[in-house]
Amino acid sequence: MMDELNKSIKVLQNGGLILYPTDTLWGIGCDATNEAAIEKVYALKQRKDTKALSCLVANDAMLERHVEKVPDLAYDIIEMATKPTTIIYDNPKGIAPNLVTSDNTMAIRVVSDKFSRYLIGKFKKPIVFTSANMAGKKTPANYKEIDQAILSGVDYVVNLEPENQNAVPSSIIKLGMDGLIEVIRE
């Protein structure tokens, strides 16, 4: 695993794109603080940059560095969730402006799989996560279903199997500072 971590980090540091297994699906990733790298993700997916991408963090401490105020309820949701859960937070900070939506929110997930946690922890920055499919196409359930255009469009493909072979997309919950809770996807 260390070899895969080091190769991935080198690509991320150079503004490149990786294809990597996560606690949910295979994803396209890049440095969440690098605006040019994020533009490459949108171009690869042929996706409008008005459709938000999410990012992954390694732990609560990293989450707190990138959200102005994490609502207390978020910690309960993260702890009690029975599957990976992405939370949309108000007022993100320290990430590339083109990851922040027009209403000043950002979708962030604290990852639970070992590879992603180690990668993000060692990289010391959040990493973009978006499913490994072209815009408007079906989300691949496994590596074999990933479109060749995605495979050839990234700078590095992590050579590891995902921890969860029957992965599904994360739940998505929006937590507003005003106390509003909205389930976007169960």
Side-chain angles (χ1 to χ4, degrees):
M1 183 187 314
M2 286 307 294
D3 191 44
E4 292 302 313
L5 287 168
N6 292 331
K7 288 176 181 177
S8 298
I9 288 169
K10 186 173 182 180
V11 170
L12 294 169
Q13 289 171 333
N14 290 320
L17 307 184
I18 63 170
L19 180 68
Y20 66 116
T22 72
D23 54 351
T24 57
L25 305 165
W26 277 87
I28 300 168
C30 69
D31 177 351
T33 67
N34 183 326
E35 202 165 346
I38 294 161
E39 288 174 12
K40 290 181 194 176
V41 173
Y42 281 115
L44 174 60
K45 287 185 61 104
Q46 299 174 0
R47 182 174 173 172
K48 294 180 181 180
D49 64 6
T50 54
K51 188 152 170 36
L53 301 174
S54 61
C55 73
L56 306 179
V57 295
N59 51 45
D60 290 351
M62 186 178 279
L63 173 65
E64 291 163 2
R65 284 195 300 273
H66 295 284
V67 176
E68 192 172 289
K69 170 83 173 91
V70 178
D72 291 337
L73 180 58
Y75 299 109
D76 294 335
I77 291 170
I78 293 167
E79 187 177 319
M80 296 180 353
T82 57
K83 73 181 224 179
T85 301
T86 301
I87 299 176
I88 300 172
Y89 297 93
D90 289 336
N91 306 316
K93 61 182 183 177
I95 56 170
N98 56 345
L99 271 183
V100 180
T101 62
S102 60
D103 66 350
N104 199 31
T105 61
M106 176 73 217
I108 303 173
R109 183 168 79 246
V110 178
V111 291
S112 59
D113 72 295
K114 189 186 323 184
F115 176 76
S116 297
R117 260 194 349 262
Y118 287 176
L119 175 64
I120 297 163
K122 192 169 180 182
F123 185 56
K124 296 182 175 31
K125 298 180 196 175
I127 296 176
V128 164
F129 171 80
T130 183
S131 56
N133 61 304
M134 305 300 275
K137 301 290 182 183
K138 182 181 175 232
T139 300
N142 56 54
Y143 182 83
K144 292 176 190 161
E145 293 181 7
I146 298 172
D147 189 296
Q148 186 58 45
I150 297 290
L151 293 170
S152 61
V154 298
D155 300 295
Y156 186 67
V157 177
V158 173
N159 188 21
L160 292 173
E161 290 292 320
E163 284 181 24
N164 183 357
Q165 296 296 326
N166 299 313
V168 294
S170 70
S171 298
I172 301 175
I173 298 172
K174 184 172 185 177
L175 291 182
M177 290 306 291
D178 57 1
L180 175 72
I181 301 169
E182 180 182 357
V183 176
I184 309 289
R185 179 174 66 205
E186 286 189 44

